[in-house]
Amino acid sequence: MELLVGLKVKYTAFGAGVITDAVDNYVTVEFAAQTTKFVYPGTFERFIKAEDLDVQQAIVSSINDAKAAAEQKRQAEEEGT
């Protein structure tokens, strides 16, 4: 998470910003007009995008991997009942 600090991001509502803090499941982004806290990593699916496309792709890939693992776990629990 700390690797995200300093990452430049874009958000359609607030424009360009920089991640200034990353603690637990939250990232704080400083935009020109305000500073906002977002839930990580879900915000990278819907609201903010990393300017570095490789970083954005890595984040989205990790989100997809987590979703796939959760689905596998759910299916395994379903089959076990």
Side-chain angles (χ1 to χ4, degrees):
M1 287 280 298
E2 287 184 28
L3 296 173
L4 296 173
V5 174
L7 181 67
K8 294 179 182 181
V9 297
K10 289 184 181 178
Y11 181 34
T12 54
F14 304 127
V18 176
I19 295 178
T20 58
D21 195 19
V23 178
D24 297 326
N25 291 336
Y26 296 93
V27 292
T28 303
V29 181
E30 186 175 313
F31 298 100
Q34 70 185 55
T35 300
T36 306
K37 190 178 276 192
F38 295 93
V39 175
Y40 177 84
T43 192
F44 280 88
E45 282 185 301
R46 295 189 221 146
F47 302 110
I48 63 176
K49 303 286 184 214
E51 284 188 2
D52 183 327
L53 296 179
D54 291 335
V55 172
Q56 178 67 27
Q57 189 172 12
I59 292 169
V60 171
S61 179
S62 70
I63 292 169
N64 291 337
D65 290 348
K67 285 181 179 180
E71 178 62 18
Q72 286 178 343
K73 181 180 178 183
R74 185 193 64 76
Q75 286 178 354
E77 289 172 352
E78 232 177 54
E79 292 171 2
T81 56

